[in-house]
Amino acid sequence: TGTGHRKSGMSALDRRVTVSGRENLADWRDLREFRQVDFEASYVLGWKLNGETLAVDLDLRLEPGHVFYEPPRPAEKVCIRPAVMEFPDCDSVALKDEGPSTDTGALVAALGVGLIDGLVVFDDGVYELSGKFGTVVIHSGRLVLRLTGA
């Protein structure tokens, strides 16, 4: 279907079982915001905490079926667009292996950048975003994905 299933031939149910063993979770491929996006070929550029909203700046790879897809320019091989992934009403941010931080602002400022490996969404408002920067656990309201420029 062109939704980024290139790395795993698994169904959504299989991913739910193998990702963490927890019930009631979704993989990023199951979210409408990520239709026609190759999230695992996208890149985190930076992290910001604006009040109670965590903003993750991205270079987002769009697939040909995406409404904002444009054919790559001659020097490009794929369609990359700037985007931001926002986590409103963010209660906490932590590195998975380190647990909660007492200074969320300092933790967010210290988070790294890099290629994204995946995003797992739990029904209880917990998101696990993983990549070259590690696995970041976010407790938040429903995420919002927006393209931010041309």
Side-chain angles (χ1 to χ4, degrees):
T1 63
T3 57
H5 289 272
R6 64 180 166 72
K7 290 192 178 180
S8 79
M10 296 188 286
S11 71
L13 180 59
D14 292 334
R15 285 192 306 274
R16 287 186 176 124
V17 171
T18 59
V19 169
S20 74
R22 285 178 70 176
E23 292 186 40
N24 298 326
L25 78 106
D27 183 79
W28 66 269
R29 295 170 190 88
D30 303 319
L31 302 174
R32 66 178 166 77
E33 293 89 341
F34 293 97
R35 287 190 190 132
Q36 304 300 324
V37 169
D38 189 350
F39 198 54
E40 292 172 339
S42 298
Y43 197 91
V44 169
L45 300 172
W47 309 77
K48 293 181 221 136
L49 192 58
N50 301 321
E52 294 184 359
T53 299
L54 174 67
V56 184
D57 291 322
L58 306 169
D59 266 348
L60 198 63
R61 182 174 170 176
L62 304 182
E63 295 184 344
H66 194 279
V67 67
F68 292 110
Y69 176 86
E70 294 178 7
R73 296 175 186 106
E76 301 170 335
K77 295 183 180 180
V78 296
C79 177
I80 301 290
R81 294 291 174 262
V84 63
M85 189 167 46
E86 295 177 331
F87 296 90
D89 302 319
C90 184
D91 293 330
S92 70
V93 179
L95 287 170
K96 187 171 185 176
D97 296 334
E98 295 180 17
S101 172
T102 56
D103 186 350
T104 302
L107 173 68
V108 168
L111 289 172
V113 298
L115 193 63
I116 297 168
D117 291 333
L119 173 70
V120 179
V121 184
F122 296 89
D123 281 348
D124 54 358
V126 177
Y127 299 84
E128 289 185 0
L129 179 61
S130 60
K132 183 157 176 73
F133 42 83
T135 298
V136 180
V137 181
I138 304 157
H139 293 253
S140 168
R142 181 163 176 83
L143 75 88
V144 176
L145 179 66
R146 295 183 297 111
L147 295 182
T148 57

PDB file of all heavy atoms in Angstrom, residues 51-64:
ATOM      1  N   GLY A  51       6.310  25.327  26.520  1.00  0.00           N
ATOM      2  CA  GLY A  51       5.260  25.179  27.523  1.00  0.00           C
ATOM      3  C   GLY A  51       5.042  23.700  27.806  1.00  0.00           C
ATOM      4  O   GLY A  51       5.963  23.006  28.213  1.00  0.00           O
ATOM      5  N   GLU A  52       3.834  23.216  27.547  1.00  0.00           N
ATOM      6  CA  GLU A  52       3.517  21.803  27.765  1.00  0.00           C
ATOM      7  C   GLU A  52       3.508  21.009  26.476  1.00  0.00           C
ATOM      8  O   GLU A  52       2.992  19.892  26.438  1.00  0.00           O
ATOM      9  CB  GLU A  52       2.169  21.691  28.470  1.00  0.00           C
ATOM     10  CG  GLU A  52       2.189  22.257  29.875  1.00  0.00           C
ATOM     11  CD  GLU A  52       0.871  22.060  30.602  1.00  0.00           C
ATOM     12  OE1 GLU A  52      -0.075  21.501  30.015  1.00  0.00           O
ATOM     13  OE2 GLU A  52       0.791  22.484  31.763  1.00  0.00           O
ATOM     14  N   THR A  53       4.082  21.560  25.404  1.00  0.00           N
ATOM     15  CA  THR A  53       4.127  20.862  24.121  1.00  0.00           C
ATOM     16  C   THR A  53       5.564  20.524  23.752  1.00  0.00           C
ATOM     17  O   THR A  53       6.426  21.411  23.694  1.00  0.00           O
ATOM     18  CB  THR A  53       3.500  21.723  23.001  1.00  0.00           C
ATOM     19  OG1 THR A  53       2.137  21.970  23.326  1.00  0.00           O
ATOM     20  CG2 THR A  53       3.579  21.026  21.655  1.00  0.00           C
ATOM     21  N   LEU A  54       5.816  19.246  23.499  1.00  0.00           N
ATOM     22  CA  LEU A  54       7.109  18.807  22.985  1.00  0.00           C
ATOM     23  C   LEU A  54       7.018  18.848  21.463  1.00  0.00           C
ATOM     24  O   LEU A  54       6.099  18.272  20.879  1.00  0.00           O
ATOM     25  CB  LEU A  54       7.427  17.388  23.456  1.00  0.00           C
ATOM     26  CG  LEU A  54       8.705  16.774  22.865  1.00  0.00           C
ATOM     27  CD1 LEU A  54       9.947  17.528  23.364  1.00  0.00           C
ATOM     28  CD2 LEU A  54       8.790  15.300  23.214  1.00  0.00           C
ATOM     29  N   ALA A  55       7.950  19.546  20.818  1.00  0.00           N
ATOM     30  CA  ALA A  55       7.998  19.636  19.365  1.00  0.00           C
ATOM     31  C   ALA A  55       9.265  18.958  18.862  1.00  0.00           C
ATOM     32  O   ALA A  55      10.357  19.226  19.359  1.00  0.00           O
ATOM     33  CB  ALA A  55       7.966  21.090  18.915  1.00  0.00           C
ATOM     34  N   VAL A  56       9.103  18.062  17.893  1.00  0.00           N
ATOM     35  CA  VAL A  56      10.228  17.355  17.295  1.00  0.00           C
ATOM     36  C   VAL A  56      10.314  17.797  15.833  1.00  0.00           C
ATOM     37  O   VAL A  56       9.398  17.535  15.053  1.00  0.00           O
ATOM     38  CB  VAL A  56      10.049  15.827  17.389  1.00  0.00           C
ATOM     39  CG1 VAL A  56      11.282  15.113  16.850  1.00  0.00           C
ATOM     40  CG2 VAL A  56       9.754  15.389  18.823  1.00  0.00           C
ATOM     41  N   ASP A  57      11.389  18.496  15.488  1.00  0.00           N
ATOM     42  CA  ASP A  57      11.585  18.942  14.108  1.00  0.00           C
ATOM     43  C   ASP A  57      12.113  17.777  13.279  1.00  0.00           C
ATOM     44  O   ASP A  57      13.024  17.059  13.715  1.00  0.00           O
ATOM     45  CB  ASP A  57      12.571  20.110  14.052  1.00  0.00           C
ATOM     46  CG  ASP A  57      11.995  21.371  14.670  1.00  0.00           C
ATOM     47  OD1 ASP A  57      10.794  21.631  14.489  1.00  0.00           O
ATOM     48  OD2 ASP A  57      12.749  22.100  15.346  1.00  0.00           O
ATOM     49  N   LEU A  58      11.543  17.623  12.077  1.00  0.00           N
ATOM     50  CA  LEU A  58      11.846  16.470  11.240  1.00  0.00           C
ATOM     51  C   LEU A  58      12.152  16.862   9.800  1.00  0.00           C
ATOM     52  O   LEU A  58      11.627  17.861   9.302  1.00  0.00           O
ATOM     53  CB  LEU A  58      10.634  15.522  11.176  1.00  0.00           C
ATOM     54  CG  LEU A  58      10.025  15.015  12.467  1.00  0.00           C
ATOM     55  CD1 LEU A  58       8.707  14.326  12.182  1.00  0.00           C
ATOM     56  CD2 LEU A  58      10.981  14.061  13.158  1.00  0.00           C
ATOM     57  N   ASP A  59      12.949  16.045   9.139  1.00  0.00           N
ATOM     58  CA  ASP A  59      12.974  15.958   7.688  1.00  0.00           C
ATOM     59  C   ASP A  59      12.183  14.694   7.388  1.00  0.00           C
ATOM     60  O   ASP A  59      12.608  13.584   7.737  1.00  0.00           O
ATOM     61  CB  ASP A  59      14.404  15.819   7.154  1.00  0.00           C
ATOM     62  CG  ASP A  59      15.032  17.142   6.785  1.00  0.00           C
ATOM     63  OD1 ASP A  59      14.298  18.159   6.722  1.00  0.00           O
ATOM     64  OD2 ASP A  59      16.251  17.170   6.549  1.00  0.00           O
ATOM     65  N   LEU A  60      11.006  14.865   6.794  1.00  0.00           N
ATOM     66  CA  LEU A  60      10.054  13.776   6.612  1.00  0.00           C
ATOM     67  C   LEU A  60      10.067  13.311   5.161  1.00  0.00           C
ATOM     68  O   LEU A  60       9.919  14.121   4.252  1.00  0.00           O
ATOM     69  CB  LEU A  60       8.658  14.285   6.986  1.00  0.00           C
ATOM     70  CG  LEU A  60       7.582  13.280   7.281  1.00  0.00           C
ATOM     71  CD1 LEU A  60       7.929  12.427   8.499  1.00  0.00           C
ATOM     72  CD2 LEU A  60       6.262  14.003   7.524  1.00  0.00           C
ATOM     73  N   ARG A  61      10.264  12.024   4.966  1.00  0.00           N
ATOM     74  CA  ARG A  61      10.265  11.464   3.607  1.00  0.00           C
ATOM     75  C   ARG A  61       8.837  11.100   3.209  1.00  0.00           C
ATOM     76  O   ARG A  61       8.190  10.289   3.862  1.00  0.00           O
ATOM     77  CB  ARG A  61      11.159  10.240   3.529  1.00  0.00           C
ATOM     78  CG  ARG A  61      11.206   9.670   2.130  1.00  0.00           C
ATOM     79  CD  ARG A  61      12.195   8.552   2.025  1.00  0.00           C
ATOM     80  NE  ARG A  61      12.062   7.884   0.756  1.00  0.00           N
ATOM     81  CZ  ARG A  61      12.856   6.914   0.358  1.00  0.00           C
ATOM     82  NH1 ARG A  61      13.839   6.503   1.139  1.00  0.00           N
ATOM     83  NH2 ARG A  61      12.673   6.347  -0.803  1.00  0.00           N
ATOM     84  N   LEU A  62       8.363  11.728   2.137  1.00  0.00           N
ATOM     85  CA  LEU A  62       7.008  11.476   1.635  1.00  0.00           C
ATOM     86  C   LEU A  62       7.061  10.481   0.476  1.00  0.00           C
ATOM     87  O   LEU A  62       7.986  10.516  -0.340  1.00  0.00           O
ATOM     88  CB  LEU A  62       6.354  12.778   1.166  1.00  0.00           C
ATOM     89  CG  LEU A  62       6.270  13.904   2.191  1.00  0.00           C
ATOM     90  CD1 LEU A  62       5.549  15.107   1.599  1.00  0.00           C
ATOM     91  CD2 LEU A  62       5.593  13.437   3.465  1.00  0.00           C
ATOM     92  N   GLU A  63       6.045   9.634   0.405  1.00  0.00           N
ATOM     93  CA  GLU A  63       5.932   8.673  -0.683  1.00  0.00           C
ATOM     94  C   GLU A  63       5.037   9.234  -1.779  1.00  0.00           C
ATOM     95  O   GLU A  63       4.254  10.160  -1.543  1.00  0.00           O
ATOM     96  CB  GLU A  63       5.397   7.351  -0.133  1.00  0.00           C
ATOM     97  CG  GLU A  63       6.378   6.724   0.839  1.00  0.00           C
ATOM     98  CD  GLU A  63       5.945   5.363   1.337  1.00  0.00           C
ATOM     99  OE1 GLU A  63       4.765   4.999   1.193  1.00  0.00           O
ATOM    100  OE2 GLU A  63       6.801   4.660   1.883  1.00  0.00           O
ATOM    101  N   PRO A  64       5.130   8.687  -2.989  1.00  0.00           N
ATOM    102  CA  PRO A  64       4.388   9.244  -4.125  1.00  0.00           C
ATOM    103  C   PRO A  64       2.889   9.427  -3.922  1.00  0.00           C
ATOM    104  O   PRO A  64       2.311  10.335  -4.500  1.00  0.00           O
ATOM    105  CB  PRO A  64       4.673   8.255  -5.256  1.00  0.00           C
ATOM    106  CG  PRO A  64       6.022   7.707  -4.912  1.00  0.00           C
ATOM    107  CD  PRO A  64       6.026   7.609  -3.397  1.00  0.00           C
TER     108      PRO A  64
END
